[in-house]
Amino acid sequence: MVIKPKIRGFICTNAHPQGCAAVVAEQIQYIKGLGELGDGPKKVLVIGCSTGYGLASRITSAFGYGADTLGVCFEKEPTERKTATAGWYNTAAFHTQAKDAGLYAETLNGDAFSNELKEQVIDKIKADLGQVDLVIYSLASPRRTDPATGEVYKSTLKPVGQAYTTKTYDTDKDKIHDVSLEPASEEEIANTVKVMGGEDWELWLNALSAAGVLAEGCKTTAYTYIGKELTWPIYGSATIGKAKEDLDRAATAINTDHADLEVDAHVSSLKALVTQASSAIPVMPLYISLIYKVMKEEGTHEGCIEQIAGLYTQCLYGDAATLDEQNRYRMDGKETNDATQAKIKALWDQVTQENFHDLSDYAGYHHEFLKLFGFDVAGVDYDADVDPVVNW
Ligand code: NAD
C-alpha cells in the first residue's frame, strides 16, 4: 500500500508505519545524545504511552535511564486495507528498539479508564516487574466511561462564565476567522472534569497501591497546560482548565492517601505544542504557530522530548525543580514568561488572513502535525509500497 496523508479537519485519519518509526528513532537519538542522566526510574508505568508527552516520557525512561516500561494506550490496530493509528506504529517501533537495547517493554492496548484494564496492568506488573517506581499519567481523551456506573461522560472545550469570541485559524480551509464560543453549562463543566480531571489518576494510584505493586517512594505525575492570558479564555479558565484544576486536588489527595508508601505526586505543567490532543482545541493551531515563530527566533523552541527530558532531569530526578504555589513542576517558563508572551501578543493582534503565513511559523506547525502521523519525515520514501500490518 502507498500511504499518503488523509487529513480530515484537525486530524489525519491514517498513519505511515516507517515514518512513525523514524520519528520514534529521532526521539530516542535525542535522549541517547544527552549522555548519562544519573539516577532515575527503574520500572515505569506510562498511562497514555503511545503519542505526545506520554511517548516522550516512555522514551526518556527507557533510553535515558535504562528503565523497564509498561505502557497503556488506546490505539487502532492495522488491517491489510487500513493503516493503524500513529500510536500503534509508534508503540511497535518503541518495542523493537527497546528489545534491541535489552530493555523490557510491554504495552496493553485498551481503555485506561476501565477496571478491567487496571486489573490487567496489575497482573502484568506482578508477573513481570514486581513493583513500579514511577507512574506517568498522560491521557488525553474526549470521553470516559465511569467504571463504577457505566455512564459515559464527554468533555467539552468551552469558556466558563461568559461567551468568548476570538481569532482562530482553520487548518482545513487555510483561513483566519473569528470563532464565538458559548459558555459551558454547569453539567458540561462537571462532565469535562469527570473526563480530564484527577479522578482516574487517583483510581489508578489506589488500585496499584491496594495491589501492592507501588514501590515505596514511588513518584507519579500528571500533565497539565496552564498557559497565559491569550489562551486562558479557551483553556486555563475554560472547561478543560477546570478539569486540570482538579488534577491539583488529586495530587494532594494522592500524597495524603499514600503517605505510608511516601508516594510523591506532582502535576507537571508543560508547554503548548502540536499533538493530536492540542490540534483539536480551537485557537491552539494559531497560538502554537505564533509561539513556534517567536520561540524559534529566541532559540527556546522545544518539542515533547526536550520538555520531558527537562522534566526528568530537573524536576523528577534532579534538584533544579521550579515548583509553583500549587506544588506543580513548571516546565513552561520559556513559553509563559512576560517577554515572550508580549511578543506573541503583538503578533496575535496583527495577524490577518493576508499576513498569517509571514507572521507565524505555520509551516513549522504543519510539518510537526504531519510528523505526528509519520508523514513529512526526511528519509522516508512516501511513494514506496509498504505493508500497513505491523505488530508488536
Ligand atoms: P496525545 O493525544 O498525543 O496522547 C494521548 C495518549 O492517551 C495516547 O497515548 C492515547 O492512546 C492515550 N489514550 C487516550 N484515551 C485513552 C484511553 N481511554 N485509554 C488508554 N489510553 C488512552 O496527547 P498529549 O498532547 O500528549 O497529552 C497528554 C497530556 O499532556 C494531557 O493531559 C494533556 O492535557 C497534557 N498537555 C498537553 C499539552 C500540549 O500542548 N499538547 C501541553 C501541556 C500538557
Side-chain angles (χ1 to χ4, degrees):
M1 182 192 280
V2 173
I3 307 170
K4 306 270 177 176
K6 282 189 202 155
I7 297 173
R8 304 270 179 276
F10 56 75
I11 198 76
C12 179
T13 60
N14 61 351
H16 198 285
Q18 291 169 2
C20 289
V23 174
V24 169
E26 191 179 289
Q27 293 195 37
I28 291 173
Q29 268 325 107
Y30 173 81
I31 289 295
K32 284 183 174 169
L34 297 179
E36 187 53 53
L37 296 184
D39 282 344
K42 295 189 171 50
K43 293 172 196 292
V44 183
L45 171 62
V46 184
I47 304 162
C49 67
S50 54
T51 54
Y53 277 124
L55 173 64
S57 306
R58 187 173 203 181
I59 289 172
T60 304
S61 301
F63 292 93
Y65 296 95
D68 296 337
T69 58
L70 174 59
V72 174
C73 61
F74 205 26
E75 301 294 344
K76 277 215 182 77
E77 60 186 288
T79 65
E80 293 292 341
R81 300 181 46 198
K82 206 168 183 307
T83 74
T85 47
W88 179 278
Y89 291 137
N90 291 341
T91 305
F94 176 84
H95 277 221
T96 304
Q97 295 239 22
K99 282 174 187 163
D100 284 354
L103 297 168
Y104 172 95
E106 291 287 338
T107 304
L108 296 172
N109 191 38
D111 182 8
F113 297 127
S114 70
N115 290 335
E116 293 73 21
L117 204 280
K118 290 183 175 76
E119 280 160 24
Q120 285 173 33
V121 165
I122 287 166
D123 289 346
K124 195 87 187 139
I125 297 173
K126 281 184 179 165
D128 297 352
L129 301 172
Q131 291 185 321
V132 290
D133 52 73
L134 174 63
V135 179
I136 298 292
Y137 190 83
S138 186
L139 289 187
S141 173
R143 71 186 68 80
R144 169 175 173 228
T145 304
D146 185 326
T149 62
E151 194 168 336
V152 179
Y153 293 90
K154 288 190 179 143
S155 63
T156 32
L157 293 163
K158 286 189 178 178
V160 168
Q162 55 193 28
Y164 180 63
T165 300
T166 183
K167 284 181 199 177
T168 193
Y169 175 68
D170 189 330
T171 50
D172 211 19
K173 303 196 176 86
D174 184 19
K175 236 180 161 31
I176 299 270
H177 60 89
D178 278 353
V179 59
S180 293
L181 299 157
E182 288 304 309
S185 65
E186 285 305 319
E187 191 187 359
E188 286 173 321
I189 298 169
N191 289 354
T192 308
V193 174
K194 195 83 185 170
V195 178
M196 288 295 286
E199 186 178 81
D200 183 59
W201 184 26
E202 283 182 275
L203 289 177
W204 268 103
L205 270 291
N206 292 348
L208 295 165
S209 168
V213 297
L214 282 185
E216 206 172 310
C218 179
K219 293 174 189 286
T220 184
T221 188
Y223 297 145
T224 193
Y225 178 69
I226 295 173
K228 267 291 174 76
E229 280 86 350
L230 278 172
T231 52
W232 280 343
I234 182 61
Y235 200 103
S237 313
T239 45
I240 180 74
K242 295 290 163 204
K244 294 296 188 183
E245 274 171 26
D246 190 58
L247 288 178
D248 299 327
R249 177 203 58 74
T252 306
I254 290 168
N255 283 325
T256 309
D257 294 348
H258 306 290
D260 54 334
L261 281 174
E262 294 182 22
V263 169
D264 187 22
H266 288 270
V267 171
S268 300
S269 182
L270 305 170
K271 78 177 278 269
L273 41 73
V274 189
T275 64
Q276 294 187 41
S278 67
S279 48
I281 302 175
V283 178
M284 277 298 177
L286 174 57
Y287 176 75
I288 295 174
S289 303
L290 297 177
I291 68 168
Y292 275 21
K293 176 84 166 182
V294 170
M295 293 178 76
K296 281 180 185 174
E297 279 172 10
E298 286 180 344
T300 55
H301 175 73
E302 290 181 333
C304 283
I305 196 71
E306 291 87 354
Q307 277 276 290
I308 296 296
L311 177 71
Y312 276 58
T313 54
Q314 292 161 37
C315 306
L316 286 168
Y317 298 98
D319 53 11
T322 309
L323 279 166
D324 65 15
E325 69 290 346
Q326 298 280 353
N327 206 28
R328 293 179 289 228
Y329 290 137
R330 298 299 296 253
M331 290 303 300
D332 52 1
K334 290 177 190 162
E335 171 193 338
T336 57
N337 70 80
D338 290 343
T340 302
Q341 285 292 313
K343 290 184 208 165
I344 300 166
K345 172 83 169 62
L347 291 178
W348 182 277
D349 291 341
Q350 288 170 52
V351 77
T352 61
Q353 178 68 27
E354 289 67 41
N355 63 21
F356 173 62
H357 291 278
D358 295 328
L359 291 190
S360 75
D361 180 31
Y362 182 67
Y365 176 97
H366 189 59
H367 168 66
E368 292 296 329
F369 175 80
L370 289 171
K371 270 178 80 178
L372 297 177
F373 306 92
F375 296 110
D376 209 20
V377 181
V380 176
D381 179 359
Y382 291 101
D383 294 317
D385 200 11
V386 287
D387 185 355
V389 180
V390 175
N391 287 309
W392 69 66

